[in-house]
Short mmCIF file of all heavy atoms in Angstrom, two decimals:
data_model
loop_
_atom_site.label_atom_id
_atom_site.label_comp_id
_atom_site.label_asym_id
_atom_site.label_seq_id
_atom_site.Cartn_x
_atom_site.Cartn_y
_atom_site.Cartn_z
N ALA A 22 -49.46 46.80 -41.55
CA ALA A 22 -49.56 46.56 -40.13
C ALA A 22 -49.93 45.11 -39.86
O ALA A 22 -50.84 44.56 -40.48
CB ALA A 22 -50.61 47.48 -39.52
N HIS A 23 -49.22 44.51 -38.97
CA HIS A 23 -49.49 43.15 -38.51
C HIS A 23 -49.27 43.14 -37.02
O HIS A 23 -48.54 43.96 -36.46
CB HIS A 23 -48.57 42.13 -39.18
CG HIS A 23 -48.70 42.06 -40.65
ND1 HIS A 23 -49.89 41.72 -41.29
CD2 HIS A 23 -47.80 42.27 -41.64
CE1 HIS A 23 -49.71 41.74 -42.59
NE2 HIS A 23 -48.45 42.06 -42.83
N ALA A 24 -49.88 42.18 -36.35
CA ALA A 24 -49.71 42.06 -34.90
C ALA A 24 -48.25 41.72 -34.60
O ALA A 24 -47.69 40.80 -35.21
CB ALA A 24 -50.63 40.98 -34.36
N SER A 25 -47.65 42.43 -33.71
CA SER A 25 -46.27 42.12 -33.27
C SER A 25 -46.25 42.09 -31.77
O SER A 25 -46.97 42.82 -31.09
CB SER A 25 -45.26 43.10 -33.84
OG SER A 25 -45.55 44.41 -33.45
N LEU A 26 -45.43 41.21 -31.23
CA LEU A 26 -45.30 41.04 -29.79
C LEU A 26 -44.63 42.24 -29.17
O LEU A 26 -43.57 42.68 -29.62
CB LEU A 26 -44.49 39.77 -29.52
CG LEU A 26 -44.43 39.30 -28.05
CD1 LEU A 26 -45.80 38.81 -27.60
CD2 LEU A 26 -43.39 38.18 -27.90
N VAL A 27 -45.27 42.78 -28.11
CA VAL A 27 -44.68 43.94 -27.43
C VAL A 27 -44.33 43.62 -25.98
O VAL A 27 -43.66 44.39 -25.32
CB VAL A 27 -45.59 45.20 -27.50
CG1 VAL A 27 -45.76 45.65 -28.93
CG2 VAL A 27 -46.96 44.92 -26.86
N GLY A 28 -44.78 42.46 -25.47
CA GLY A 28 -44.44 42.11 -24.11
C GLY A 28 -44.90 40.68 -23.80
O GLY A 28 -45.73 40.12 -24.53
N SER A 29 -44.31 40.11 -22.78
CA SER A 29 -44.68 38.75 -22.41
C SER A 29 -44.35 38.50 -20.96
O SER A 29 -43.55 39.19 -20.35
CB SER A 29 -43.95 37.72 -23.27
OG SER A 29 -42.53 37.79 -23.01
N PHE A 30 -45.00 37.48 -20.42
CA PHE A 30 -44.59 36.91 -19.12
C PHE A 30 -44.60 35.41 -19.33
O PHE A 30 -45.61 34.83 -19.71
CB PHE A 30 -45.52 37.26 -17.97
CG PHE A 30 -45.07 36.52 -16.73
CD1 PHE A 30 -44.00 36.97 -15.99
CD2 PHE A 30 -45.65 35.31 -16.38
CE1 PHE A 30 -43.53 36.25 -14.89
CE2 PHE A 30 -45.18 34.59 -15.29
CZ PHE A 30 -44.12 35.06 -14.54
N PRO A 31 -43.48 34.76 -19.04
CA PRO A 31 -42.19 35.34 -18.72
C PRO A 31 -41.67 36.21 -19.86
O PRO A 31 -42.01 35.97 -21.03
CB PRO A 31 -41.28 34.14 -18.51
CG PRO A 31 -42.18 32.96 -18.31
CD PRO A 31 -43.44 33.28 -19.03
N ALA A 32 -40.86 37.18 -19.52
CA ALA A 32 -40.29 38.07 -20.52
C ALA A 32 -39.10 37.41 -21.18
O ALA A 32 -38.52 36.45 -20.70
CB ALA A 32 -39.83 39.36 -19.82
N ARG A 33 -38.76 37.94 -22.36
CA ARG A 33 -37.59 37.46 -23.11
C ARG A 33 -36.37 37.50 -22.20
O ARG A 33 -36.06 38.52 -21.60
CB ARG A 33 -37.35 38.35 -24.32
CG ARG A 33 -36.15 37.95 -25.16
CD ARG A 33 -35.92 38.91 -26.32
NE ARG A 33 -37.07 38.99 -27.20
CZ ARG A 33 -37.34 38.14 -28.19
NH1 ARG A 33 -36.51 37.15 -28.44
NH2 ARG A 33 -38.41 38.30 -28.94
N GLY A 34 -35.72 36.35 -22.04
CA GLY A 34 -34.49 36.27 -21.24
C GLY A 34 -34.70 36.20 -19.74
O GLY A 34 -33.73 36.09 -18.98
N GLN A 35 -35.92 36.26 -19.27
CA GLN A 35 -36.21 36.27 -17.85
C GLN A 35 -35.89 34.91 -17.21
O GLN A 35 -36.10 33.86 -17.82
CB GLN A 35 -37.66 36.63 -17.59
CG GLN A 35 -38.02 36.74 -16.11
CD GLN A 35 -39.45 37.18 -15.88
OE1 GLN A 35 -40.25 37.36 -16.80
NE2 GLN A 35 -39.81 37.37 -14.61
N VAL A 36 -35.42 34.94 -15.97
CA VAL A 36 -35.24 33.76 -15.15
C VAL A 36 -36.38 33.77 -14.13
O VAL A 36 -36.48 34.72 -13.35
CB VAL A 36 -33.87 33.73 -14.47
CG1 VAL A 36 -33.75 32.50 -13.57
CG2 VAL A 36 -32.74 33.75 -15.50
N VAL A 37 -37.23 32.74 -14.20
CA VAL A 37 -38.35 32.63 -13.24
C VAL A 37 -38.06 31.53 -12.25
O VAL A 37 -37.47 30.51 -12.60
CB VAL A 37 -39.69 32.41 -13.94
CG1 VAL A 37 -40.07 33.61 -14.78
CG2 VAL A 37 -39.68 31.16 -14.79
#
Side-chain angles (χ1 to χ4, degrees):
H23 298 300
S25 58
L26 188 69
V27 296
S29 66
F30 175 79
R33 179 182 303 275
Q35 183 176 4
V36 177
V37 294

